[in-house]
Amino acid sequence: MPHRVVVLALDGLLPFELGIPQRIFGRSIGTDSGGKGRKLYDVVTCSIRPPGPVRTDADFSILVEHGPEALATADTVVVPASYELGPVFDEGRLTDELAAALALVRPGTRMVSICTGSYVLAAAGYLDGRPATTHWSSADHFQRTFPQVRVDPGVLFIDDGDVLTSAGVAAGIDLCLHLVRRDHGTAVANEIARRTVVPPHRDGGQAQYIHRPVPEPQFATTTGARAWALTRLDRPILLRDMAEHEAMSVRTFTRRFREEVGISPGQWLTQQRVERARHLLESTDLSIDQVARDAGFGTATSLRQHLQAALGVPPTAYRRTFRSSADTAS
């Protein structure tokens, strides 16, 4: 059976955040042993009350067809943001109705929050003593309300194994894509990202860009240099080569690159090479030395260092873990 994702719709919810799990998980397709497509996730939306309307923060309500009993069927529960959390936000405690609904969640279920949905997880005790994040504008209040939580306000999302939290809005997309990648590998996640027309990967530790203004429109961009670099990741790529590709000085190119991408060219190249290595480890039987060369790290030692820094595991362990998970999922 597909992995069951149950999305908890609370009054005052933000429609954009509510739609993220269905868009990402609901469109995730794998291939069965016969080569046919199969759904990887079954996405269900439920309320803490019997089926019926749930208010949003917009000028419309939504009709939710499942009550709280759906939570008992979940492999993953997702709690999107809401602007009507009441005592959850004000006092850090669950209402009786919400507590009764969450009591139906089976032990071991993966818990996920998007934006201020983290307040619900914290009030329910899921975040006690654990790292978590939320929207940057609520981070100080969140930390005061839940001093037992280790709040990091400067990241897009935090994966703490069976409990994951994200910052606001688009960071929820990043987190859901991260889960697809974690469950089924980069190829599936990248295909969903392409269909959704979003970047396939933004690392969870990347900053929320709280104070970074949107750059002024420019005729010259770094898009061409990035596309060029992606075709030659297995070869040395110098900053001046990328700058020359766009007919810019190194200084102008670096500034423009940061404006458009949010990180330096060197950091971006490392991210792309890690992604290439992950794909090769998941989908080929190439030796670790060959994966290192094809991804542009040169040596197995360099690949191990970068993969350990990015994912916390060496290449051999990553390949073994992913393939074991893929075999189980099949």
Side-chain angles (χ1 to χ4, degrees):
M1 296 293 292
H3 183 103
R4 171 64 69 93
V5 176
V6 177
V7 185
L8 182 58
L10 300 172
D11 282 326
L13 63 85
L14 282 64
F16 183 94
E17 279 87 336
L18 179 69
I20 290 172
Q22 176 61 49
R23 179 69 192 187
I24 302 301
F25 297 119
R27 298 296 183 90
S28 297
I29 303 296
T31 304
D32 62 20
S33 57
K36 296 182 180 180
R38 62 184 177 89
K39 288 180 60 176
L40 298 177
Y41 300 92
D42 178 29
V43 184
V44 170
T45 303
C46 79
S47 170
I48 59 174
R49 299 185 297 272
V54 173
R55 294 189 302 276
T56 74
D57 74 327
D59 62 343
F60 58 85
S61 296
I62 62 169
L63 180 63
V64 177
E65 298 183 356
H66 299 276
E69 65 279 355
L71 291 167
T73 70
D75 300 304
T76 294
V77 171
V78 180
V79 184
S82 166
Y83 283 152
E84 295 183 22
L85 291 176
V88 176
F89 184 87
D90 298 331
E91 306 169 34
R93 65 175 180 85
L94 299 175
T95 63
D96 291 342
E97 195 173 35
L98 181 52
L102 291 176
L104 299 173
V105 177
R106 295 174 297 175
T109 299
R110 186 164 62 186
M111 304 298 294
V112 177
S113 67
I114 298 175
C115 194
T116 54
S118 56
Y119 278 79
V120 175
L121 298 193
Y126 287 107
L127 300 179
D128 287 357
R130 306 180 78 154
T133 193
T134 191
H135 193 285
W136 63 267
S137 64
S138 299
D140 288 344
H141 179 270
F142 185 69
Q143 184 67 90
R144 291 194 303 271
T145 306
F146 304 104
Q148 69 276 23
V149 180
R150 306 202 308 272
V151 181
D152 186 345
V155 297
L156 296 178
F157 62 83
I158 290 178
D159 179 345
D160 197 39
D162 59 339
V163 178
L164 301 93
T165 53
S166 81
V169 195
I173 298 176
D174 295 314
L175 177 53
C176 290
L177 283 172
H178 167 76
L179 280 171
V180 174
R181 186 179 297 106
R182 196 178 96 172
D183 292 345
H184 300 288
T186 57
V188 175
N190 288 349
E191 179 60 26
I192 294 301
R194 281 192 291 270
R195 292 183 182 182
T196 312
V197 198
V198 296
H201 180 258
R202 290 200 298 168
D203 184 73
Q206 191 169 324
Q208 291 189 34
Y209 308 134
I210 300 168
H211 300 298
R212 189 168 73 87
V214 175
E216 291 297 322
Q218 304 283 351
F219 290 106
T221 74
T222 63
T223 303
R226 279 179 272 144
W228 171 80
L230 288 175
T231 66
R232 50 185 295 124
L233 289 176
D234 59 329
R235 286 168 276 179
I237 300 174
L238 301 178
L239 180 56
R240 68 169 180 269
D241 295 333
M242 296 180 71
E244 287 175 1
H245 191 84
E246 301 291 3
M248 298 181 191
S249 69
V250 170
R251 182 176 181 179
T252 299
F253 179 84
T254 301
R255 174 175 55 80
R256 192 70 52 76
F257 196 100
R258 281 187 174 275
E259 289 175 348
E260 294 177 359
V261 182
I263 54 178
S264 73
Q267 291 171 317
W268 179 83
L269 276 173
T270 297
Q271 284 186 359
Q272 304 312 308
R273 284 177 165 143
V274 167
E275 286 302 298
R276 172 72 63 83
R278 291 175 68 172
H279 174 71
L280 293 173
L281 289 168
E282 294 171 11
S283 60
T284 74
D285 293 317
L286 294 174
S287 68
I288 301 302
D289 287 327
Q290 187 61 54
V291 169
R293 288 193 292 271
D294 288 356
F297 288 117
T299 67
T301 299
S302 178
L303 171 60
R304 277 193 291 271
Q305 290 173 343
H306 283 93
L307 210 66
Q308 188 78 42
L311 306 176
V313 294
T316 303
Y318 179 82
R319 170 175 274 169
R320 183 171 58 249
T321 300
F322 173 77
R323 293 199 168 177
S324 297
S325 298
D327 292 341
T328 301
S330 297

